[in-house]
Amino acid sequence: MTPREPLRPVGYDDAADRVRLLDQRKLPAVETWLELETAEQVADAIRTLAVRGAPAIGVAAAYGVAVEARRGASPERLREASRLIASARPTAVNLAWAVARMSRRLEAGPAALLAEAHAIRDEDEASCRRMGALGAPLLPRGARVLTHCNAGALATAGYGTALGLVRAAVEAGNPVTVFADETRPFFQGARLTAWELQRDGIPVTVLTDGMAGWLMQRGEISCVVVGSDRIAANGDVCNKIGTYALAVLARHHGLPFYVAAPWSTVDLATARGADIPIEERGADEVVRINGALIAPEGVPARYPAFDVTPAALVTAIVTERGVADGDLAAALRRLAGA
Ligand code: MRU
């Protein structure tokens, strides 16, 4: 098979001064790129999940600030644009982290701001590759990896966090296979994880969200590997709704539960998972699939978009700085100084 171009879902057209985003609302049916020129458009793309995944929204946010600067925005307008983008979604700390990093360069001018955004993108992909190298040895030969949501190239600048471990293992000759939870209601697993792994020739099987326990009971899963939107100082891990249930199941069945996330996802200023703001999205996203109602008209529905897995259920956290295990709070403190 001819190797495919690496998948990079967030980019910038330097000549036209436009932010380019692969529209993840449309995959896998249609591959279409959005070309954005304002902070409002970038914030809207983040809010509506055209771009999603903690590291990827951080990169998009940085480009959103840069595009305003390059199009001549005043310092005042740049500050307003930064606030607008930072508030597009509350849970993934990468968004606020990237905007804060851009804000520190606000006075440096448009060229410096664009260079900073490119650096955020390049560093994120490098971090993913480093996490892959550090984390791949955790996967036994022929591991059957269960993952949730999409923590792949599509959720990052490229390569992926959880799927970066899978990619690195496959590149090292380990014939790993993946089970992808469909991940209701946006179907990041069925639509995005399945699409990007199939594109790279990595075997993937889609499950509905309730199937994991049964497959674990039958010995068909080796370990769980997921990404994260924010990791608290005590090692509690926030990730896509449904992750906590998998961690409980993994513990019950004696399986390792691994988290892969760049250091930009670690929020030492947040003491514990209970302090992480959890995004609540509209009930309509739960009761409609592609516009079609799948529940009785008017029935209430809930959509907390994330949950928190207590540190005690996490076997290890793989970051580009190293692997945290054992006492996660102490391990994260050590890595903070690395
Ligand atoms: O709502 P989403 O699709 O942005 O949620 C994404 C996740 O929960 C991912 O698992 C997380 O951001 C890690 S991505 C490397």
Side-chain angles (χ1 to χ4, degrees):
M1 200 174 75
T2 32
R4 306 279 312 247
E5 270 285 293
L7 188 55
R8 296 190 174 101
V10 186
Y12 193 88
D13 181 338
D14 288 54
D17 274 313
R18 289 197 187 122
V19 184
R20 300 189 75 245
L21 301 177
L22 179 57
D23 191 343
Q24 300 192 31
R25 298 166 301 194
K26 306 260 171 68
L27 290 171
V30 186
E31 266 180 71
T32 162
W33 289 81
L34 301 171
E35 309 254 348
L36 310 178
E37 298 177 357
T38 67
E40 280 75 10
Q41 290 171 342
V42 172
D44 194 56
I46 293 171
R47 215 175 297 114
T48 60
L49 311 186
V51 60
R52 33 70 44 203
I57 62 178
V59 176
Y63 282 133
V65 176
V67 79
E68 286 284 343
R70 299 270 298 181
R71 288 175 171 268
S74 65
E76 236 177 343
R77 160 73 189 148
L78 271 186
R79 272 188 286 278
E80 180 198 314
S82 301
R83 274 195 299 274
L84 180 78
I85 293 172
S87 63
R89 292 187 78 189
T91 302
V93 73
N94 308 63
L95 182 59
W97 170 87
V99 172
R101 187 165 152 178
M102 295 297 285
S103 299
R104 289 195 288 275
R105 304 285 290 154
L106 235 43
E107 314 299 326
L113 280 167
L114 182 56
E116 189 73 1
H118 283 324
I120 289 173
R121 179 199 58 190
D122 293 348
E123 287 168 25
D124 184 63
E125 184 169 343
S127 295
C128 287
R129 289 180 186 276
R130 179 80 187 131
M131 280 182 265
L134 290 172
L138 297 171
L139 307 182
R141 189 159 176 80
R144 286 162 297 183
V145 173
L146 174 69
T147 192
H148 192 68
C149 193
N150 170 266
L154 287 169
T156 61
Y159 204 72
T161 57
L163 298 189
L165 265 59
V166 167
R167 283 197 168 87
V170 169
E171 285 163 17
N174 183 351
V176 167
T177 57
V178 175
F179 286 109
D181 272 352
E182 63 177 357
T183 317
R184 286 264 296 137
F186 192 62
F187 297 104
Q188 287 96 331
R191 296 190 303 106
L192 307 176
T193 294
W195 180 76
E196 69 164 85
L197 290 179
Q198 199 178 58
R199 178 184 185 275
D200 282 2
I202 297 174
V204 55
T205 301
V206 172
L207 306 176
T208 67
D209 291 333
M211 292 179 181
W214 173 239
L215 293 193
M216 287 182 185
Q217 196 185 89
R218 288 171 54 93
E220 294 190 37
I221 289 169
S222 316
C223 60
V224 179
V225 186
V226 294
S228 174
D229 293 84
R230 193 186 295 226
I231 297 171
N234 70 346
D236 289 350
V237 170
C238 180
N239 191 46
K240 179 54 55 195
I241 189 77
T243 303
Y244 166 54
L246 293 181
V248 173
L249 282 171
R251 175 56 55 92
H252 182 75
H253 292 93
L255 299 174
F257 180 90
Y258 297 121
V259 177
W263 196 255
S264 52
T265 299
V266 177
D267 180 10
L268 295 178
T270 295
R272 48 197 192 106
D275 301 331
I276 297 172
I278 301 293
E279 178 181 17
E280 282 273 349
R281 295 184 66 88
D284 217 44
E285 294 183 47
V286 172
V287 297
R288 284 182 193 277
I289 297 182
N290 293 333
L293 203 55
I294 57 150
E297 181 88 59
V299 76
R302 282 286 304 278
Y303 186 1
F306 301 94
D307 61 28
V308 174
T309 297
L313 295 178
V314 177
T315 310
I317 299 174
V318 180
T319 78
E320 73 276 26
R321 295 188 178 196
V323 178
D325 57 10
D327 177 345
L328 292 180
L332 290 173
R333 274 197 305 275
R334 253 193 323 275
L335 292 177

